[in-house]
Amino acid sequence: MSPVTHFLTGWVFANCAKLERRDRAIVTLACVAPDVDGLGIIPELLTRNSSHPLLWFTLYHHSLHTLAFSLVVAAAGFALAQQRWKTALLALASFHLHLFEDVLGSRGPDGYQWPIPYLAPFSSALQLAWRGEWGLNAWPNIALTAVLLLITFWLAWQRGFSPLEMISVKADRAFVDALRQRFPRTNEPA
Ligand SMILES: [Zn+2]
């Protein structure tokens, strides 16, 4: 699935637990982290018409979709978090949510399934793929993204913070205020 869907999944997942701002960000970003290996798309697109195209995306996409990298991400979460164990475990789960979503619906436009080499680089025996996998641009992905976006708005309205808090608390505040102004909460004086 797309990084946007993974990000929103991570955000909604992080909000299922009681976490501080920084820990929420860690759990959210852990759901996007596997796709760091997809950044190779940039040099690949930039060089595709050159005499020496860099096939970094083709070669390396999904190479970080592994158990080993999930542990690296969880360890990083442990090091950076306020509630260390809780955040690290949630980050680990969040990372695996990403893998689950990719198995469900990340088939490329060419039909390639991008199997997940879960035990790489130690073993290539286990390749996670599902026969029914739908395409990256198929309707379930669009529907899921829309639902996650709605939940994200609802959470912002209800709890008073949104993913914007990762960039700027001030911008987040303004966003929540605008949201609550547009949709006043019934139990509060206007
Ligand atoms: Zn992925």
Side-chain angles (χ1 to χ4, degrees), residues 40 68 106 118-119 146 154 176 186:
S106 288
Y118 191 59
L119 299 178
W154 181 81
V176 170
T186 46

Side-chain angles (χ1 to χ4, degrees), residues 98-172:
H98 177 120
L99 299 189
F100 179 66
E101 288 185 318
D102 274 359
V103 169
L104 283 185
S106 288
R107 196 188 281 271
D110 53 2
Y112 186 56
Q113 282 201 304
W114 296 109
I116 290 172
Y118 191 59
L119 299 178
F122 306 105
S123 159
S124 55
L126 191 61
Q127 300 278 335
L128 303 177
W130 171 51
R131 208 148 25 112
E133 181 180 352
W134 58 75
L136 201 53
N137 296 319
W139 71 264
N141 284 8
I142 298 166
L144 176 65
T145 310
V147 169
L148 289 167
L149 204 56
L150 277 177
I151 299 174
T152 299
F153 274 88
W154 181 81
L155 283 169
W157 177 80
Q158 177 74 22
R159 298 192 178 173
F161 49 82
S162 78
L164 278 177
E165 68 175 11
M166 292 184 206
I167 307 160
S168 154
V169 175
K170 219 171 127 191
D172 188 45

Side-chain angles (χ1 to χ4, degrees), residues 58-72:
T58 309
L59 291 175
Y60 301 121
H61 187 45
H62 273 187
S63 60
L64 291 179
H65 287 59
T66 64
L67 175 63
F69 190 56
S70 76
L71 296 174
V72 171

